[in-house]
Amino acid sequence: MKSMEKIVSLCKRRGYLFQSSEIYGGIQGFWDYGPLGVELKRNLKDAWWHDMISGHNELVKPESAPTPFEMVGLDSTIIMHPQVWKCSGHYDLFHDHMVDCRESKKRYRFDQIRGRWVEYQDKKVFVTTMAEAEQELEEVRRRGMKFFRLRNKDADKITVGDESLTLDKLDSTENVLAPDAKSLDTLTEPREFNLMFKTTLGALGGEDDTTFLRPETAQGIFVNFKNVLDSSRVGLPFGIGQVGKSFRNEITPRNFTFRSREFEQMEIEFFCHPDQSQQWYRYWRDRRLAWYKELGLSDESLIMREHHQEELAHYSVGTADIEYAFPFLPEGEYGELEGIAHRGDFDLRSHMEGKLDPSTRPMQVELGEDGKPKYRGSGRDLSYRDEATNEKFVPHVVEPSAGADRGALAFLCEAYTEDEAPDEKGKMQTRTVMKLHPRLAPIKAAVFPLVKKDGMPEVAHEIYGELKRHMNVFYDEKGAVGRRYRRQDEAGTPYCITVDTDTLTDRTVTIRDRDTLEQTRVKIDDVVADLRTRING
Ligand code: GAP
């Protein structure tokens, strides 16, 4: 059985993920990647970079794309000019709603408090909890019993509602028992909380020196649009991709790395002619969903969800989320992996003219009380001239925005498998195996001498040395070979190469496949090429 508890425990035990600053008690919302985790996340980012940017062939039209297109990369800074965030809308609009509990003094994100109606005699209260989905019902029942001062033997005297709701779905918080409170109605009205981390530039530290750690990598791309256009030979349609850290002061970071305060994004801003933007939006939505499937997420655990009008971000005229059935969510619920947004010309025009008012159509620059632009733009011309038609326009943008940490977590959750495999004595045993796609697997192959004698370690060293030049491999000669296989299964290593008695006479080795357990004999000289084909298909 796949459970979040087991996945979290494996991640720590095998060095995928650790809590940041753990020896000091940890810090909420920050995570460190251990030796296996760093390889997995790097492989995921490399796969994205290759498949979206460096490996893209601009000479060929992909089947479902409207036309051929170009892709280039960028690496912009985390700290940018404060005006960037005013014009992007983050300064005014990038907030969540939080509530404070007057009794426990704790702070929560309004839409993350979950609960159920609990009824006893004539009284009905909404009992909430921050417990994970798996424990939510039990925890609500326990708290409900406690609230009504009932003993275990009276458990059947209360009724717990079937429907689990988040607090934002209720009309009022009047009869709510807050997650850490003993009495009712202790929550404040929801208030806005800006999610950007503030920081100060230089030594003087006045209000004018305040800036922010970027909450998304996207803005670095918009402000460099003209630089890229002028310095490379790209022409519309084209995309600029960037991978890097983003920071959000999340009110309640939770669910392992899913909602962290420091995380990495893999974003593309795709610039195109306004008339073609809907077609490009559809292309990128489908292409990105297909990418997750190519790397091993199953059809059943992925959905594409188009946003309703009222859910759309301030700049967006259409957004779809690719969502994954993370095991920490209740059955039938999905969590966002990536958003594909049609942003129109909001960003380029805002950085050019001044922040636009998203509620106006067509969008106008938002004015302050003095009748001047509330946040002045750069004044730079960020429009594009089509050389063939001589038409000048501000391009529209389609933005596929993915999280590297959420991606890594989804692939870890998908990969976690318990099955049956024979041990050294041929007896069937439960084995834990991380069925990661070979491209994502931290270690591509492990090399074992069957025994630590008869010249086998020497040959294994030779193979290991050769493979190391091409990929991340692991050498192990300690303990029974069955145990060594098990350790690699847990680490997600797709192939194990074993040097045995036959190797000494015919210079062949066995390659064991992690998922099928099939063993094939391959000439030592062919091992590199054989693994390459297996990994890259
Ligand atoms: N530029 C658009 C943008 O940033 P977003 O939906 O806020 O859009 C994009 O973020 C992706 O970044 C999300 O789909 C998710 O994968 C990742 N992400 C956002 N906030 C996150 C957080 N607190 N922790 C981990 N990943 C996060």
Side-chain angles (χ1 to χ4, degrees):
M1 248 293 278
K2 197 178 290 209
S3 77
M4 211 50 217
E5 217 178 317
K6 288 183 181 171
I7 295 167
V8 171
S9 145
L10 181 136
C11 283
K12 169 140 203 229
R13 193 172 70 244
R14 295 311 313 266
Y16 273 101
L17 278 156
F18 308 126
Q19 200 184 6
S20 165
S21 326
E22 199 189 59
I23 59 166
Y24 288 104
I27 170 168
Q28 238 202 334
F30 296 89
W31 296 92
D32 295 337
Y33 286 78
L36 290 183
V38 67
E39 297 289 341
L40 168 68
K41 190 160 125 178
R42 189 175 289 260
N43 291 342
L44 181 66
K45 291 185 289 181
D46 286 350
W48 183 92
W49 191 266
H50 174 269
D51 298 351
M52 298 299 124
I53 316 285
S54 58
H56 171 72
N57 182 350
E58 73 281 5
L59 304 178
V60 177
K61 180 180 101 57
E63 208 179 309
S64 47
T67 63
F69 60 93
E70 294 178 84
M71 296 297 292
V72 291
L74 182 82
D75 186 10
S76 69
T77 59
I78 285 170
I79 293 177
M80 296 163 73
H81 194 290
Q83 198 67 12
V84 169
W85 306 112
K86 294 189 171 154
C87 289
S88 70
H90 287 84
Y91 190 74
D92 282 349
L93 302 166
F94 192 57
H95 48 240
D96 274 336
H97 287 99
M98 57 166 196
V99 284
D100 288 305
C101 176
R102 285 182 287 259
E103 184 188 309
S104 69
K105 309 287 176 235
K106 292 208 170 155
R107 177 166 288 178
Y108 312 93
R109 214 175 104 172
F110 191 48
D111 61 355
Q112 280 176 357
I113 305 180
R114 200 171 256 288
R116 291 168 194 249
W117 287 104
V118 177
E119 232 177 312
Y120 174 61
Q121 294 178 339
D122 288 340
K123 200 161 162 77
K124 204 173 164 190
V125 295
F126 190 78
V127 180
T128 65
T129 171
M130 295 300 283
E132 300 294 337
E134 288 161 2
Q135 291 97 39
E136 187 257 347
L137 176 60
E138 206 179 306
E139 187 56 15
V140 166
R141 180 178 291 282
R142 191 193 64 76
R143 297 198 68 220
M145 299 269 295
K146 200 164 172 198
F147 177 79
F148 287 117
R149 295 172 197 276
L150 295 174
R151 302 222 179 126
N152 282 347
K153 67 179 174 53
D154 299 320
D156 55 353
K157 293 193 176 142
I158 60 165
T159 323
V160 180
D162 289 337
E163 200 180 4
S164 161
L165 297 166
T166 47
L167 215 52
D168 55 326
K169 304 284 179 325
L170 302 190
D171 294 335
S172 115
T173 55
E174 218 173 282
N175 283 313
V176 168
L177 180 67
D180 299 282
K182 292 196 179 82
S183 37
L184 295 181
D185 198 14
T186 57
L187 292 175
T188 59
E189 282 297 304
R191 278 185 294 145
E192 285 175 359
F193 172 78
N194 194 296
L195 298 183
M196 283 196 294
F197 275 100
K198 267 191 195 164
T199 188
T200 307
L201 296 180
L204 293 176
E207 192 47 34
D208 289 351
D209 302 320
T210 299
T211 187
F212 304 92
L213 303 188
R214 69 180 176 202
E216 60 170 25
T217 63
Q219 297 305 321
I221 300 181
F222 294 124
V223 300
N224 277 295
F225 169 71
K226 207 68 179 170
N227 283 338
V228 172
L229 208 56
D230 293 346
S231 61
S232 45
R233 291 178 53 205
V234 286
L236 249 56
F238 75 97
I240 306 178
Q242 164 152 244
V243 176
K245 290 262 182 172
S246 291
F247 302 82
R248 296 184 189 179
N249 200 359
E250 299 282 357
I251 301 165
T252 38
R254 60 199 309 231
N255 291 330
F256 210 13
T257 57
F258 181 81
R259 182 163 285 107
S260 310
R261 289 178 164 143
E262 175 176 339
F263 55 96
E264 269 185 283
Q265 291 186 307
M266 310 184 289
E267 297 199 290
I268 295 170
E269 304 305 323
F270 190 80
F271 302 94
C272 59
H273 190 285
D275 291 350
Q276 281 197 330
S277 58
Q278 292 291 350
Q279 275 171 284
W280 283 113
Y281 169 63
R282 284 194 291 276
Y283 167 75
W284 279 109
R285 221 187 35 184
D286 299 347
R287 174 70 193 102
R288 292 300 305 147
L289 180 68
W291 187 77
Y292 287 104
K293 292 184 183 174
E294 283 158 24
L295 285 176
L297 297 189
S298 61
D299 277 353
E300 312 84 69
S301 52
L302 277 173
I303 56 161
M304 173 78 80
R305 192 177 67 82
E306 289 278 353
H307 282 209
H308 302 298
Q309 197 62 33
E310 63 277 10
E311 266 186 282
L312 293 179
H314 58 276
Y315 48 75
S316 183
V317 296
T319 296
D321 284 345
I322 298 174
E323 299 186 338
Y324 180 73
F326 286 99
F328 51 75
L329 294 169
E331 179 88 25
E333 285 191 19
Y334 296 81
E336 178 186 330
L337 259 187
E338 167 160 353
I340 297 97
H342 180 305
R343 297 174 73 127
D345 57 8
F346 177 85
D347 305 273
L348 288 180
R349 277 188 58 210
S350 288
H351 286 304
M352 189 159 78
E353 304 165 23
K355 188 188 153 251
L356 300 179
D357 177 352
S359 63
T360 52
R361 287 286 179 279
M363 279 187 279
Q364 310 285 328
V365 172
E366 191 174 333
L367 302 179
E369 281 168 7
D370 57 2
K372 294 188 182 148
K374 187 172 176 198
Y375 300 122
R376 268 188 306 114
S378 64
R380 295 288 179 88
D381 181 5
L382 303 180
S383 59
Y384 177 82
R385 186 181 293 281
D386 187 321
E387 278 176 15
T389 62
N390 214 23
E391 185 191 0
K392 197 175 173 206
F393 55 90
V394 180
H396 273 200
V397 171
V398 175
E399 177 199 65
S401 170
D405 305 83
R406 279 203 195 161
L409 183 60
F411 285 107
L412 281 169
C413 292
E414 182 82 28
Y416 185 94
T417 314
E418 286 172 5
D419 65 8
E420 299 256 301
D423 66 10
E424 302 84 86
K425 293 174 191 128
K427 200 168 153 220
M428 291 310 265
Q429 300 282 0
T430 304
R431 82 167 173 156
T432 303
V433 49
M434 293 300 279
K435 294 192 173 177
L436 288 164
H437 189 287
R439 281 182 78 193
L440 299 182
I443 300 166
K444 304 301 178 199
V447 183
F448 306 150
L450 185 61
V451 288
K452 233 162 69 178
K453 54 183 187 187
D454 303 335
M456 289 186 207
E458 288 75 6
V459 184
H461 283 184
E462 180 199 322
I463 298 169
Y464 176 71
E466 179 55 23
L467 280 172
K468 263 274 163 179
R469 296 173 44 204
H470 303 274
M471 59 191 81
N472 193 23
V473 286
F474 185 82
Y475 179 79
D476 191 4
E477 58 180 27
K478 290 191 208 107
V481 75
R483 290 252 288 285
R484 284 180 260 163
Y485 283 146
R486 289 290 177 284
R487 277 190 65 75
Q488 292 310 312
D489 290 341
E490 261 199 356
T493 308
Y495 308 109
C496 289
I497 297 159
T498 307
V499 170
D500 56 18
T501 340
D502 289 349
T503 314
L504 307 175
T505 52
D506 63 7
R507 284 192 62 83
T508 63
V509 288
T510 60
I511 299 188
R512 168 199 186 255
D513 182 296
R514 174 198 67 198
D515 300 342
T516 62
L517 300 177
E518 209 178 307
Q519 305 216 12
T520 13
R521 281 209 90 83
V522 175
K523 287 200 189 106
I524 290 178
D525 290 345
D526 296 341
V527 168
V528 172
D530 186 284
L531 286 182
R532 278 237 167 95
T533 316
R534 288 175 192 247
I535 294 165
N536 297 314

